[in-house]
Amino acid sequence: MKKSLVFFLLLAWVMVAVSCSKSSNKPIPKPVAKIEDSSIIIPVEIVSYSWGAKDGYGAPWEVMDNKDAVLVPKKSSITISFDKTPEKVQFRQTVNKEEFKNLDIQSNEITVPDKEGVYVYSFLVKWPEGSVDYAIKVQVQ
């Protein structure tokens, strides 16, 4: 009985120590989205994240639903930059509440279509401390 209690306490201590070692007090990186060669800056929202031992969940369509879209010209290039260099970035266009398209983007630049409308783009970004899913909303004119 005593050995079981000691084993349980030791196991609990190890679990707490491991979970604390994963926590990160570093702030989540802040990206900037802007139209290339202009002063148009597009607000970037955090959709979901797994940063250290902290998690937050959301979906791009819901998070951006009540946000105002920024007016951008047709075929504009939106450059995304980060205050900390990421390991990997995956871009998507959110088509509706349940559907998205992966975008094959090799740089941190999205080119909006020449068709007018409101578009939501998200980008899943990974760093050693964790990952963050960001989104922007634009209205092409």
Side-chain angles (χ1 to χ4, degrees):
M1 173 87 170
K2 194 172 185 177
K3 284 184 179 183
S4 297
L5 180 60
V6 170
F7 177 75
F8 175 74
L9 290 174
L10 182 61
L11 181 61
W13 181 82
V14 168
M15 289 173 53
V16 168
V18 168
S19 68
C20 289
S21 69
K22 288 185 179 182
S23 67
S24 174
N25 291 328
K26 295 179 183 178
I28 292 175
K30 296 181 186 339
V32 173
K34 67 179 191 170
I35 300 295
E36 193 173 79
D37 300 326
S38 82
S39 61
I40 300 173
I41 296 189
I42 303 164
V44 179
E45 299 290 332
I46 293 175
V47 174
S48 62
Y49 61 91
S50 177
W51 196 255
K54 300 175 184 172
D55 295 313
Y57 301 100
W61 194 262
E62 286 82 14
V63 169
M64 301 309 287
D65 188 39
N66 294 323
K67 305 292 180 185
D68 293 330
V70 175
L71 297 174
V72 299
K74 295 176 181 178
K75 295 205 166 216
S76 295
S77 292
I78 301 171
T79 303
I80 312 293
S81 60
F82 302 93
D83 61 353
K84 180 180 177 184
T85 304
E87 293 178 339
K88 183 179 179 184
V89 182
Q90 178 186 4
F91 290 93
R92 295 182 299 247
Q93 179 185 351
T94 302
V95 179
N96 58 42
K97 190 174 183 176
E98 287 116 19
E99 186 181 356
F100 64 88
K101 292 190 302 186
N102 284 321
L103 302 176
D104 185 21
I105 296 176
Q106 304 305 315
S107 64
N108 289 348
E109 186 175 286
I110 300 167
T111 301
V112 299
D114 60 355
K115 183 179 176 187
E116 291 186 358
V118 174
Y119 297 87
V120 174
Y121 294 97
S122 65
F123 39 105
L124 178 61
V125 189
K126 295 184 182 184
W127 289 275
E129 296 87 354
S131 61
V132 183
D133 197 4
Y134 300 97
I136 59 174
K137 186 177 184 179
V138 296
Q139 181 172 353
V140 176
Q141 280 191 317

mmCIF file with all atom_site columns, all heavy atoms in Angstrom, residues 61 96-100:
data_model
loop_
_atom_site.group_PDB
_atom_site.id
_atom_site.type_symbol
_atom_site.label_atom_id
_atom_site.label_alt_id
_atom_site.label_comp_id
_atom_site.label_asym_id
_atom_site.label_entity_id
_atom_site.label_seq_id
_atom_site.pdbx_PDB_ins_code
_atom_site.Cartn_x
_atom_site.Cartn_y
_atom_site.Cartn_z
_atom_site.occupancy
_atom_site.B_iso_or_equiv
_atom_site.pdbx_formal_charge
_atom_site.auth_seq_id
_atom_site.auth_comp_id
_atom_site.auth_asym_id
_atom_site.auth_atom_id
_atom_site.pdbx_PDB_model_num
ATOM 1  N N   . TRP A 1 61  ? -13.808 31.219 -40.351 1.00 0.00 ? 61  TRP A N   1
ATOM 2  C CA  . TRP A 1 61  ? -15.082 31.803 -40.776 1.00 0.00 ? 61  TRP A CA  1
ATOM 3  C C   . TRP A 1 61  ? -15.801 32.458 -39.599 1.00 0.00 ? 61  TRP A C   1
ATOM 4  O O   . TRP A 1 61  ? -16.290 33.578 -39.696 1.00 0.00 ? 61  TRP A O   1
ATOM 5  C CB  . TRP A 1 61  ? -15.964 30.720 -41.413 1.00 0.00 ? 61  TRP A CB  1
ATOM 6  C CG  . TRP A 1 61  ? -17.123 31.303 -42.150 1.00 0.00 ? 61  TRP A CG  1
ATOM 7  C CD1 . TRP A 1 61  ? -18.400 31.435 -41.698 1.00 0.00 ? 61  TRP A CD1 1
ATOM 8  C CD2 . TRP A 1 61  ? -17.107 31.862 -43.460 1.00 0.00 ? 61  TRP A CD2 1
ATOM 9  N NE1 . TRP A 1 61  ? -19.182 32.027 -42.648 1.00 0.00 ? 61  TRP A NE1 1
ATOM 10 C CE2 . TRP A 1 61  ? -18.404 32.303 -43.748 1.00 0.00 ? 61  TRP A CE2 1
ATOM 11 C CE3 . TRP A 1 61  ? -16.113 32.033 -44.417 1.00 0.00 ? 61  TRP A CE3 1
ATOM 12 C CZ2 . TRP A 1 61  ? -18.751 32.897 -44.950 1.00 0.00 ? 61  TRP A CZ2 1
ATOM 13 C CZ3 . TRP A 1 61  ? -16.463 32.622 -45.620 1.00 0.00 ? 61  TRP A CZ3 1
ATOM 14 C CH2 . TRP A 1 61  ? -17.757 33.045 -45.877 1.00 0.00 ? 61  TRP A CH2 1
ATOM 15 N N   . ASN A 1 96  ? -16.243 28.991 -47.203 1.00 0.00 ? 96  ASN A N   1
ATOM 16 C CA  . ASN A 1 96  ? -17.449 29.161 -46.395 1.00 0.00 ? 96  ASN A CA  1
ATOM 17 C C   . ASN A 1 96  ? -17.216 28.497 -45.046 1.00 0.00 ? 96  ASN A C   1
ATOM 18 O O   . ASN A 1 96  ? -16.083 28.113 -44.738 1.00 0.00 ? 96  ASN A O   1
ATOM 19 C CB  . ASN A 1 96  ? -18.698 28.601 -47.109 1.00 0.00 ? 96  ASN A CB  1
ATOM 20 C CG  . ASN A 1 96  ? -18.565 27.132 -47.444 1.00 0.00 ? 96  ASN A CG  1
ATOM 21 O OD1 . ASN A 1 96  ? -18.072 26.334 -46.655 1.00 0.00 ? 96  ASN A OD1 1
ATOM 22 N ND2 . ASN A 1 96  ? -18.984 26.757 -48.646 1.00 0.00 ? 96  ASN A ND2 1
ATOM 23 N N   . LYS A 1 97  ? -18.264 28.350 -44.267 1.00 0.00 ? 97  LYS A N   1
ATOM 24 C CA  . LYS A 1 97  ? -18.131 27.832 -42.907 1.00 0.00 ? 97  LYS A CA  1
ATOM 25 C C   . LYS A 1 97  ? -17.462 26.454 -42.840 1.00 0.00 ? 97  LYS A C   1
ATOM 26 O O   . LYS A 1 97  ? -16.748 26.153 -41.896 1.00 0.00 ? 97  LYS A O   1
ATOM 27 C CB  . LYS A 1 97  ? -19.518 27.770 -42.268 1.00 0.00 ? 97  LYS A CB  1
ATOM 28 C CG  . LYS A 1 97  ? -19.527 27.484 -40.807 1.00 0.00 ? 97  LYS A CG  1
ATOM 29 C CD  . LYS A 1 97  ? -20.922 27.582 -40.243 1.00 0.00 ? 97  LYS A CD  1
ATOM 30 C CE  . LYS A 1 97  ? -20.909 27.366 -38.754 1.00 0.00 ? 97  LYS A CE  1
ATOM 31 N NZ  . LYS A 1 97  ? -22.206 27.532 -38.158 1.00 0.00 ? 97  LYS A NZ  1
ATOM 32 N N   . GLU A 1 98  ? -17.698 25.605 -43.848 1.00 0.00 ? 98  GLU A N   1
ATOM 33 C CA  . GLU A 1 98  ? -17.171 24.243 -43.801 1.00 0.00 ? 98  GLU A CA  1
ATOM 34 C C   . GLU A 1 98  ? -16.109 23.930 -44.851 1.00 0.00 ? 98  GLU A C   1
ATOM 35 O O   . GLU A 1 98  ? -15.595 22.825 -44.884 1.00 0.00 ? 98  GLU A O   1
ATOM 36 C CB  . GLU A 1 98  ? -18.314 23.239 -43.981 1.00 0.00 ? 98  GLU A CB  1
ATOM 37 C CG  . GLU A 1 98  ? -19.218 23.107 -42.775 1.00 0.00 ? 98  GLU A CG  1
ATOM 38 C CD  . GLU A 1 98  ? -20.636 23.567 -43.082 1.00 0.00 ? 98  GLU A CD  1
ATOM 39 O OE1 . GLU A 1 98  ? -21.002 23.635 -44.263 1.00 0.00 ? 98  GLU A OE1 1
ATOM 40 O OE2 . GLU A 1 98  ? -21.364 23.866 -42.130 1.00 0.00 ? 98  GLU A OE2 1
ATOM 41 N N   . GLU A 1 99  ? -15.791 24.865 -45.714 1.00 0.00 ? 99  GLU A N   1
ATOM 42 C CA  . GLU A 1 99  ? -14.911 24.538 -46.836 1.00 0.00 ? 99  GLU A CA  1
ATOM 43 C C   . GLU A 1 99  ? -13.756 25.533 -46.949 1.00 0.00 ? 99  GLU A C   1
ATOM 44 O O   . GLU A 1 99  ? -13.941 26.728 -46.788 1.00 0.00 ? 99  GLU A O   1
ATOM 45 C CB  . GLU A 1 99  ? -15.744 24.574 -48.127 1.00 0.00 ? 99  GLU A CB  1
ATOM 46 C CG  . GLU A 1 99  ? -15.024 24.119 -49.352 1.00 0.00 ? 99  GLU A CG  1
ATOM 47 C CD  . GLU A 1 99  ? -15.932 24.215 -50.583 1.00 0.00 ? 99  GLU A CD  1
ATOM 48 O OE1 . GLU A 1 99  ? -17.118 24.563 -50.478 1.00 0.00 ? 99  GLU A OE1 1
ATOM 49 O OE2 . GLU A 1 99  ? -15.401 23.957 -51.672 1.00 0.00 ? 99  GLU A OE2 1
ATOM 50 N N   . PHE A 1 100 ? -12.577 24.999 -47.244 1.00 0.00 ? 100 PHE A N   1
ATOM 51 C CA  . PHE A 1 100 ? -11.419 25.856 -47.502 1.00 0.00 ? 100 PHE A CA  1
ATOM 52 C C   . PHE A 1 100 ? -10.572 25.224 -48.597 1.00 0.00 ? 100 PHE A C   1
ATOM 53 O O   . PHE A 1 100 ? -10.695 24.039 -48.893 1.00 0.00 ? 100 PHE A O   1
ATOM 54 C CB  . PHE A 1 100 ? -10.590 26.094 -46.238 1.00 0.00 ? 100 PHE A CB  1
ATOM 55 C CG  . PHE A 1 100 ? -9.951  24.858 -45.679 1.00 0.00 ? 100 PHE A CG  1
ATOM 56 C CD1 . PHE A 1 100 ? -8.705  24.454 -46.120 1.00 0.00 ? 100 PHE A CD1 1
ATOM 57 C CD2 . PHE A 1 100 ? -10.592 24.108 -44.709 1.00 0.00 ? 100 PHE A CD2 1
ATOM 58 C CE1 . PHE A 1 100 ? -8.106  23.307 -45.611 1.00 0.00 ? 100 PHE A CE1 1
ATOM 59 C CE2 . PHE A 1 100 ? -10.003 22.960 -44.197 1.00 0.00 ? 100 PHE A CE2 1
ATOM 60 C CZ  . PHE A 1 100 ? -8.760  22.572 -44.653 1.00 0.00 ? 100 PHE A CZ  1
#
